[in-house]
Amino acid sequence: MRVLLLHGPNLNILGKRKPEVYGYTTMKQTNDMVRARAEALNCELIVFQSNHEGELVDHLHRYLGECDGVVINPGALTHYGLSLRDALEAVDVPVVEVHLSNIHAREEWRRISMISPVTIGQVVGFGARGYVAALELLLAHIAEVRPAGRT
Ligand code: DQA
């Protein structure tokens, strides 16, 4: 079982960026936490962060047919990243969208996600713990719909 954990723009500065909204947990701490859970669940986790939409698209193309699911916090690309949306759709595996903050309780424009229509669901508002929950939910979903895994 191979899962991609993708982080979009500005998430590399987690811990320093508006901690009252996004928390004090850094990107490294977040990734370590998710990696530990993935390992316990026998899942290979491939982590990638970029501040550039095209790089996220390229990364998804690299794993076309080579991954079983995606956990992604697209950052602000959530609200306008149509090429990222299309790449997620093209990869054709279950996707879980994560947001550290509760985007539905913030500015109006943050409530709109271009990504949601190509996901199985969203985990929002639970800070860094949301990524672990997202991974668990994704793996449970995959086990349910495709008990044998990718190959
Ligand atoms: C975010 C919410 C987005 O609106 C914002 O642009 C981010 C972070 C979140 O995790 O809460 O960069 O995705």
Side-chain angles (χ1 to χ4, degrees):
M1 190 67 56
R2 179 186 287 156
V3 168
L4 306 184
L5 172 59
L6 301 182
H7 306 280
N10 296 306
L11 294 168
N12 53 312
I13 52 169
L14 270 186
K16 290 186 195 132
R17 175 191 179 202
K18 284 178 86 70
E20 70 284 5
V21 176
Y22 299 117
Y24 288 92
T25 310
T26 65
M27 173 102 299
K28 186 186 178 310
Q29 288 166 338
T30 303
N31 289 336
D32 286 350
M33 200 162 76
V34 188
R35 266 198 202 100
R37 191 67 189 123
E39 215 174 287
L41 294 170
N42 234 339
C43 167
E44 182 190 352
L45 191 74
I46 296 174
V47 182
F48 184 72
Q49 188 276 334
S50 179
N51 294 320
H52 308 280
E53 184 170 2
E55 282 187 6
L56 292 162
V57 170
D58 285 344
H59 192 76
L60 282 163
H61 290 178
R62 219 167 289 144
Y63 286 95
L64 207 74
E66 300 291 329
C67 73
D68 301 287
V70 178
V71 173
I72 183 165
N73 183 346
L77 293 171
T78 305
H79 316 298
Y80 68 92
L82 290 174
S83 69
L84 178 59
R85 178 233 178 265
D86 282 352
L88 286 165
E89 186 178 43
V91 169
D92 200 24
V93 292
V95 177
V96 180
E97 179 182 350
V98 177
H99 298 286
L100 296 148
S101 64
N102 179 1
I103 55 170
H104 302 292
R106 299 182 64 196
E107 301 96 319
E108 192 109 13
W109 58 268
R110 283 191 207 275
R111 296 178 197 168
I112 299 159
S113 171
M114 296 296 133
I115 305 302
S116 290
V118 296
T119 69
I120 55 170
Q122 274 187 338
V123 178
V124 307
F126 291 97
R129 267 185 232 109
Y131 292 98
V132 176
L135 177 72
E136 290 172 354
L137 291 165
L138 175 69
L139 293 179
H141 173 89
I142 293 169
E144 231 170 64
V145 295
R146 211 160 32 133
R150 179 163 36 98
T151 46

